[in-house]
Amino acid sequence: MTIAVEPAVQGDRVSLLRVLGPAHVWALGVGIVLVGEFTGWNFSADKGGALAALIVCWVVGLLYTSVAMIDSEVTSTVAAAGGQYAQAKHIVGPLMAFNVALFLVFAYTMLEVSDAILLGDTIVAKAGVEGLTHNSFIAATIVVLAWLNYRGVLMTLNVNFVITAIAYISIVILFFSVSPWTQGAVLKLNELVTPGNALPYGWIGVIAAFQFGIWYYLGIEGTTQAAEEVRSPARSLPYGTMAGMITLLIAAAMTWYVCASMMPWEYLGITYYPLWDAGKLTGSPLLENLLFVATLLAALASANGCINDAARAWFSLGRDRYLPTWFSAVHPKYRTPYRSILFLLPIALAFAFIADLNQAITFSILSGVLQYTFMSINIIMFRKKWPLGSIRRGYTHPFHPIPAIVLFCLCVVTFFAIFLGFGSQLIAMVAFYFLISLWFHFYRYKFVRRGDQFTMPWPKPQGY
Amino acid sequence: MWVALSYACWGISIVLALWMLYDWFKVDTTFSEEVLTSSREGELEATSEKHRI
């Protein structure tokens, strides 16, 4: 098969390029998330013990399975760059859409910042050289990945597929290297997790652990940002997203089993590198180095996907005039939202140099959970306004409205858990979104061409 | 080695940042604003690709 690509500018129009398939969607979603297995999820052990980390692995897994199912249905119907932003615009309204786009940009930019800091810190920890700082590695991570994103989405996600697959395979190799079918040789789960220390803080510790349990899967919903660049959105998006979620559930379970069987919960809850440490504890230099490289690759894949997603959300805001249209420019050769990529680049660099890892990831998680709360309400409204059979859906998720209710309830629990650990940041973030909403409603919305923003050829919603 | 790698990272970052700024300037001065911002949501991009089997 040969593919002939004609010049990018067709007449007077230039658009994003439809070149992606389900594997790229998988690479985008899993690439963003997988870093959470290499660091982050283990802090839930500090909050509630090793068993709490396992409980939240499954319960938060349920939350994200609901997210993936709901997202797959709505995005296979509203296939546009901006993902949840475009969904909110068509289903709830402009103010909600503006907020959702900001949730997306904050969640992905702060996650990108966290990834870059993690990568820099990991290299510095490995080097052990006096005076060596992480700044140069952070700068290179953000700038090189921004350049890759600038040059085209196909190469960006091809790279993400390869490095995500290597990082994932490293977890599988570690799992089978420690004889998971035998306890006592390398793994000592029955000694490290006992009835006496499994839940050291009781059930309130399990609730508190939700805050970090999010890290197992944070970002899988990012697959929807590729909606305008996949060849067949109705097929590729549900397929890539659900395959990604299955992949992550397996990775999360393997990661917990290996780490909880090799490290006491007191150490597991505070280390920044649970999988790399597990590699070291096997005594094999090969595994140690493999897990070190995999940690770096997972951080790179995550930052790469985050740049892709944040830029598309920002680009979509410009295209609908929610922000100046200047941001909606598409590169005529590379077919990427190049101005949005360049605009967000110095912001990410600034946060990476001044913020610490905990602050950055807390802002990312907060924005993510706000977005998931919206999704639970969004799907209820979507099914009510456009019931099954009224419009064509690429995928219809089962058991409605149970996933939406489960998602909403788990979001409430997660907000409570975040409030326990980062109450002031939660209040500051909500206040920020409230003030920016006032600005949008009273000032910015007058610039929006109200009829132009609704692009889906749907019938009138029921009740209107 | 790590210190040399650190300097190399700064160098690569500066070179790629400058390249992106140059390309941005070149594109913005070559194409009109109407063309660059002509993308529309929901528009299928079927005309840009032709697959021959």
Side-chain angles (χ1 to χ4, degrees), chain A residues 217-291:
Chain A
Y217 314 100
L218 179 71
I220 186 65
E221 73 285 355
T223 53
T224 60
Q225 297 296 328
E228 213 164 304
E229 289 154 289
V230 289
R231 285 188 294 263
S232 171
R235 172 179 164 269
S236 300
L237 289 170
Y239 188 65
T241 307
M242 302 303 266
M245 197 58 219
I246 293 165
T247 311
L248 289 169
L249 284 165
I250 295 167
M254 286 193 296
T255 301
W256 180 89
Y257 182 65
V258 171
C259 292
S261 301
M262 296 181 83
M263 287 168 257
W265 71 272
E266 295 93 335
Y267 178 77
L268 183 61
I270 57 168
T271 179
Y272 273 92
Y273 309 107
L275 279 170
W276 186 19
D277 285 345
K280 287 176 188 170
L281 287 169
T282 61
S284 159
L286 186 68
L287 278 175
E288 181 188 336
N289 288 322
L290 177 68
L291 269 299

Side-chain angles (χ1 to χ4, degrees), chain A residues 428-448:
Chain A
M429 197 94 189
V430 172
F432 166 76
Y433 284 121
F434 178 71
L435 290 174
I436 203 84
S437 295
L438 291 178
W439 172 82
F440 179 75
H441 180 76
F442 290 108
Y443 176 73
R444 185 66 214 177
Y445 194 55
K446 64 179 176 238
F447 295 102
V448 176

Side-chain angles (χ1 to χ4, degrees), chain A residues 13 136 150 331 338-339 455, chain B residues 6 23 28 33 35 41 43:
Chain A
R13 282 285 170 90
S136 58
Y150 188 101
H331 197 290
Y338 69 110
R339 284 182 188 161
T455 56
Chain B
S6 173
D23 188 73
D28 280 15
E33 194 63 14
V35 169
E41 185 181 280
E43 198 174 60

Side-chain angles (χ1 to χ4, degrees), chain A residues 175-446:
Chain A
F175 181 74
F176 285 105
S177 301
V178 294
S179 308
W181 46 85
T182 313
Q183 279 289 332
V186 183
L187 304 181
K188 295 180 170 58
L189 188 64
N190 51 353
E191 292 173 28
L192 293 170
V193 184
T194 63
N197 72 7
L199 292 176
Y201 307 118
W203 285 99
I204 191 69
V206 177
I207 300 290
F210 266 71
Q211 179 191 345
F212 292 107
I214 294 284
W215 284 49
Y216 281 115
Y217 314 100
L218 179 71
I220 186 65
E221 73 285 355
T223 53
T224 60
Q225 297 296 328
E228 213 164 304
E229 289 154 289
V230 289
R231 285 188 294 263
S232 171
R235 172 179 164 269
S236 300
L237 289 170
Y239 188 65
T241 307
M242 302 303 266
M245 197 58 219
I246 293 165
T247 311
L248 289 169
L249 284 165
I250 295 167
M254 286 193 296
T255 301
W256 180 89
Y257 182 65
V258 171
C259 292
S261 301
M262 296 181 83
M263 287 168 257
W265 71 272
E266 295 93 335
Y267 178 77
L268 183 61
I270 57 168
T271 179
Y272 273 92
Y273 309 107
L275 279 170
W276 186 19
D277 285 345
K280 287 176 188 170
L281 287 169
T282 61
S284 159
L286 186 68
L287 278 175
E288 181 188 336
N289 288 322
L290 177 68
L291 269 299
F292 163 71
V293 172
T295 305
L296 299 185
L297 293 181
L300 274 176
S302 181
N304 197 22
C306 286
I307 294 171
N308 178 87
D309 283 5
R312 271 132 191 95
W314 198 254
F315 158 81
S316 302
L317 281 172
R319 195 164 58 176
D320 286 329
R321 296 172 184 267
Y322 286 29
L323 289 176
T325 51
W326 187 82
F327 291 113
S328 68
V330 174
H331 197 290
K333 182 176 176 188
Y334 304 127
R335 314 291 287 275
T336 53
Y338 69 110
R339 284 182 188 161
S340 293
I341 293 168
L342 287 174
F343 176 76
L344 294 171
L345 170 61
I347 293 173
L349 277 175
F351 272 102
F353 288 142
I354 60 172
D356 71 21
L357 189 59
N358 283 337
Q359 282 177 334
I361 198 63
T362 301
F363 280 121
S364 179
I365 289 175
L366 275 172
S367 298
V369 179
L370 283 167
Q371 189 198 138
Y372 306 146
T373 312
F374 145 76
M375 286 168 70
S376 62
I377 300 164
N378 187 49
I379 186 67
I380 300 277
M381 291 181 72
F382 184 53
R383 284 285 183 104
K384 202 171 162 205
K385 287 182 173 181
W386 291 279
L388 295 183
S390 62
I391 55 174
R392 192 166 168 270
R393 288 163 158 85
Y395 167 81
T396 304
H397 82 271
F399 311 124
H400 178 78
I402 294 170
I405 295 167
V406 168
L407 178 58
F408 186 83
C409 294
L410 292 175
C411 284
V412 171
V413 175
T414 311
F415 275 124
F416 179 67
I418 294 171
F419 185 76
L420 292 176
F422 294 91
S424 53
Q425 283 97 330
L426 178 62
I427 292 167
M429 197 94 189
V430 172
F432 166 76
Y433 284 121
F434 178 71
L435 290 174
I436 203 84
S437 295
L438 291 178
W439 172 82
F440 179 75
H441 180 76
F442 290 108
Y443 176 73
R444 185 66 214 177
Y445 194 55
K446 64 179 176 238

Side-chain angles (χ1 to χ4, degrees), chain A residues 5-38:
Chain A
V5 180
E6 291 187 349
V9 181
Q10 301 284 324
D12 57 352
R13 282 285 170 90
V14 56
S15 314
L16 301 178
L17 200 56
R18 286 191 183 272
V19 287
L20 305 177
H24 298 106
V25 175
W26 178 91
L28 180 60
V30 178
I32 291 174
V33 182
L34 199 62
V35 68
E37 322 297 332
F38 287 86

